Amino acid sequence: MRLAAVVAFALILIGGFEPFYLRIFTIDRPLEGALFAELPFRKMPGLKSFLEGVDAHTPPRARIAIWVPFRQWEGGYGYAYYRASYLLPGKQVVPLLALHDDRADFSNLAQADYVASFGEQLVPPGFESCWRDAHGVLLKASNPVASSANAR
Amino acid sequence: MTMVAALLTIAICVTAGWPLSKLLDRGAKLPLRISTSFLLGSAALGGVVLFLLSSAQLGWSSVTLTAGMLLVSAIADAFARKRAPFDRARITQPFAPQWKGFVATGIDLMTGVLAAGYALFATVGPTPEYDFISIWGVKAREFWIAGGIDWRFLENPFNEFAHVDYPILLPLIFDVQTAIRGSWDARWLGALYVAFGLAALLAVRAFIEEETDDSVLAAAATLALAGISFSPWVGLADGPLVASGTVGLLYVRRGVLASSSADILRGALFLGIAGSFKNEGVALIAAAAAGLLLTAPRFLARLWPAIAIVTPWFVLRRLHHLQTDLTAGPILDRVTGHLANLQPMLSALATYTRGKPFFWIGIGLALVLAFRAAITRERFLLVALLVQTCFFLAAYIVTPHDVTWHVRWSWERIVTQITLPLGFVAIALLLPLIEGRRGRSEG
């Protein structure tokens, strides 16, 4: 019984052991840190730097509609939209897909001061380009209400 | 400066919580004192001080936070001083041969090396976890920019992806560190996870020392449970939930075994904190109630602090119309649909159950070897953990998401919420067998 108990104790010790917490002393930590920083954005190269640029070129409490070349929440749109909210703190992101539905909903443009168009340029009436980088364009509303748009 | 701010935050939390911990449990040994001080201090600064500052529309800064910390400490200290001094004679130091002391210290050093490795992992860079970016971190960042709890952000349907119904203690604790630093720094928020992991481990060590007088066995048990005390999901609520939930369960367990209503109250306080981190923490309160019902029902009402702590969030959630996705839409249709076809859920559970086979075999073996003690002495904890597991499975039955997707991205992580207390039970069952004691093992 005692031997069996020692074996059970040893199994718990060995099984619960995390060798990675020893291996980490030997890895290139600055490189690992850089990889960690980019990992959440790796599926859309350029998205992070584009949204950081959008953040730098928009005022606090701006309402920014997000447009990316994907038309499904779980098929790419959500990936960009959820990350945009994190990278645009103090600003309200506005979806251009209907909530809970994989269809474009440009009526939400009426609730946006800006459109951040990544990867595929959206040209909504009433918005004018105010900044761009290699990955996308930021458009500012010149007209308070815009309700239709075309993707190019 | 970033690391200094992180360490300062932890020190401030421990300092703020120290008088609270003394007020709560004057007899706690140093490891448990440090553990409970951090848990109480971080919860008080985030959940009380920042919440009150926000409600009073006073800005969040290191100055207002320090003022709040001093106020919390002073009030707790004043109450602690009013109470009769604790009889130190109750704490006895058993005689142990010198070699055991050296071996135990050596094992503790190995645990320390693992903790240092975890600290490097948790702070190597900003956490890449999706749930941090879309749930916990995004709210903390919004609140920080808004200088208080941003109810407009939480109420806006465009932000429902951020699970706006989840309790907000964790984002508020992130903001404690952010206020001390003066700006957002996702990387060094990882230091808080080291503190939560150590809080869990120190508490487990203190409770294990109540199970054995053998310092080598206590040190080995701590080493065995170190890996599962440190949450790999940095930035998520699971690590803080494990720390506060485990401390809560272990206090209640001690209360059941020693017939101490004071310990049940202490446990309920930490269960309430666990329920303020995540909805599973609220389920854990119900699971603990089920455990008490089947072991010591006379203590059931003593869980009231847990209910009192989590209730305000439910009231606020209702006032601000913050919906939870699990109960949205036609629940009954989903439940009947999932129950009629359990195969996808069972298949997903089988597919996405990974890792630690030796650990689980060891747990199973311990339960078999000390079966009688398990169903008598450890009944409270085992019933509570079983009921909590049922809650996990029930969430998959009511889920509005694809069940395979839901299991895939949550099962492995939520199981870690019960792994530490379960590991503790197994070791508590094995220790008497290893030491050749039978009485305690069999309750």
Side-chain angles (χ1 to χ4, degrees):
Chain A
M1 195 67 146
R2 194 172 189 172
L3 180 65
V6 170
V7 169
F9 190 99
L11 284 169
I12 291 171
L13 197 153
I14 295 164
F17 189 74
E18 285 293 348
F20 180 71
Y21 299 149
L22 294 182
R23 274 207 313 275
I24 196 163
F25 288 101
T26 63
I27 66 167
D28 182 345
R29 287 193 294 281
L31 178 69
E32 194 77 8
L35 286 174
F36 268 39
E38 295 304 322
L39 196 60
F41 308 96
R42 74 185 192 284
K43 287 184 181 172
M44 283 192 196
L47 178 72
K48 188 181 177 204
S49 61
F50 172 67
L51 289 172
E52 285 168 345
V54 169
D55 188 37
H57 290 87
T58 47
R61 290 187 289 280
R63 300 169 303 167
I64 305 166
I66 304 297
W67 184 252
V68 291
F70 302 98
R71 305 291 179 268
Q72 291 177 313
W73 281 100
E74 296 300 328
Y77 190 84
Y79 184 95
Y81 183 77
Y82 308 147
R83 282 154 180 79
S85 187
Y86 179 75
L87 291 174
L88 299 168
K91 294 157 192 182
Q92 179 57 55
V93 289
V94 176
L96 292 180
L97 288 192
L99 290 175
H100 316 295
D101 200 358
D102 293 333
R103 64 177 168 81
D105 181 1
F106 293 112
S107 66
N108 287 342
L109 280 170
Q111 300 182 56
D113 311 309
Y114 292 85
V115 175
S117 181
F118 174 82
E120 175 187 68
Q121 191 174 333
L122 182 74
V123 189
F127 285 84
E128 293 168 359
S129 170
C130 62
W131 173 80
R132 68 172 59 236
D133 75 356
H135 303 285
V137 60
L138 177 69
L139 304 119
K140 185 178 181 184
S142 51
N143 182 336
V145 178
S147 57
S148 63
N150 297 306
R152 237 194 248 164
Chain B
M1 181 57 194
T2 46
M3 187 173 78
V4 173
L7 295 177
L8 193 60
T9 303
I10 294 164
I12 286 173
C13 288
V14 173
T15 308
W18 197 275
L20 289 169
S21 170
K22 277 176 78 176
L23 182 65
L24 187 72
D25 184 3
R26 284 169 298 162
K29 287 183 181 176
L30 188 62
L32 190 57
R33 170 77 66 237
I34 296 170
S35 162
T36 53
S37 294
F38 174 73
L39 294 175
L40 292 168
S42 56
L45 291 178
V48 179
V49 174
L50 287 194
F51 184 84
L52 290 178
L53 287 172
S54 174
S55 303
Q57 297 192 325
L58 295 168
W60 289 353
S61 68
S62 54
V63 175
T64 52
L65 192 64
T66 307
M69 181 201 85
L70 291 173
L71 192 64
V72 168
S73 302
I75 292 170
D77 198 48
F79 276 104
R81 281 172 196 275
K82 276 187 183 172
R83 299 178 69 176
F86 179 71
D87 181 11
R88 285 273 150 206
R90 185 154 78 83
I91 301 173
T92 54
Q93 200 67 34
F95 170 77
Q98 200 176 24
W99 70 267
K100 281 205 166 191
F102 285 128
V103 174
T105 305
I107 297 172
D108 282 340
L109 282 174
M110 288 166 67
T111 307
V113 170
L114 276 185
Y118 177 69
L120 289 180
F121 162 72
T123 58
V124 73
T127 175
E129 291 293 340
Y130 165 75
D131 281 4
F132 172 78
I133 288 169
S134 69
I135 300 174
W136 309 105
V138 72
K139 277 184 256 186
R141 217 172 174 186
E142 288 296 334
F143 295 174
W144 168 245
I145 297 282
I149 298 164
D150 191 344
W151 293 107
R152 279 188 310 180
F153 175 86
L154 296 176
E155 288 167 353
N156 193 325
F158 291 162
N159 300 322
E160 66 178 33
F161 69 89
H163 289 275
V164 292
D165 60 302
Y166 284 8
I168 55 172
L169 179 58
L170 183 61
L172 291 175
I173 292 175
F174 287 162
D175 283 329
V176 169
Q177 181 165 320
T178 307
I180 289 167
R181 187 178 184 270
S183 62
W184 180 256
D185 178 14
R187 177 187 171 190
W188 284 97
L189 291 177
L192 287 170
Y193 285 78
V194 183
F196 278 113
L198 285 174
L201 196 58
L202 286 171
V204 162
R205 171 58 167 268
F207 283 107
I208 280 175
E209 284 181 350
E210 294 176 7
E211 301 294 316
T212 178
D213 294 332
D214 189 319
S215 57
V216 174
L217 275 178
T222 310
L223 177 63
L225 299 176
I228 54 173
S229 297
F230 301 133
S231 174
W233 289 281
V234 174
L236 276 55
D238 300 82
L241 170 61
V242 168
S244 45
T246 302
V247 173
L249 288 174
L250 295 185
Y251 261 123
V252 176
R253 171 187 176 271
R254 187 164 84 179
V256 170
L257 294 177
S259 216
S260 159
S261 61
D263 276 332
I264 308 282
L265 279 173
R266 290 171 186 133
L269 184 65
F270 289 101
L271 289 173
I273 294 173
S276 304
F277 279 121
K278 218 172 172 218
N279 289 338
E280 289 100 307
V282 179
L284 191 61
I285 298 169
L292 274 183
L293 196 65
L294 292 182
T295 48
R298 68 188 181 283
F299 288 136
L300 206 50
R302 289 274 165 172
L303 286 181
W304 69 262
I307 309 294
I309 291 170
V310 298
T311 299
W313 175 247
F314 282 95
V315 173
L316 286 167
R317 219 173 82 170
R318 198 165 180 81
L319 283 175
H320 291 276
H321 308 290
L322 310 180
Q323 289 296 319
T324 175
D325 60 350
L326 282 181
T327 55
I331 306 174
L332 269 180
D333 289 352
R334 291 203 300 269
V335 170
T336 49
H338 284 139
L339 286 176
N341 182 17
L342 286 170
Q343 198 274 331
M345 184 178 92
L346 297 175
S347 169
L349 288 172
T351 306
Y352 299 110
T353 299
R354 290 191 295 262
K356 303 194 189 309
F358 288 134
F359 177 84
W360 291 106
I361 294 168
I363 298 281
L365 192 54
L367 293 175
V368 170
L369 290 174
F371 180 72
R372 222 180 119 198
I375 58 169
T376 53
R377 185 176 158 81
E378 302 299 345
R379 188 190 301 167
F380 159 72
L381 213 39
L382 288 175
V383 168
L385 296 176
L386 186 65
V387 171
Q388 182 70 352
T389 308
C390 292
F391 283 136
F392 294 160
L393 296 176
Y396 295 138
I397 287 170
V398 300
T399 184
H401 307 290
D402 172 65
V403 71
T404 304
W405 175 90
H406 200 167
V407 170
R408 179 179 181 185
W409 295 111
S410 64
W411 178 242
E412 187 186 6
R413 178 166 45 79
I414 59 172
V415 165
T416 63
Q417 294 173 13
I418 58 164
T419 308
L420 184 58
L422 192 57
F424 176 90
V425 170
I427 285 174
L429 289 169
L430 291 173
L431 287 175
L433 299 177
I434 293 170
E435 293 178 309
R437 291 182 283 119
R438 291 194 65 81
R440 202 184 239 181
S441 162
E442 298 189 356

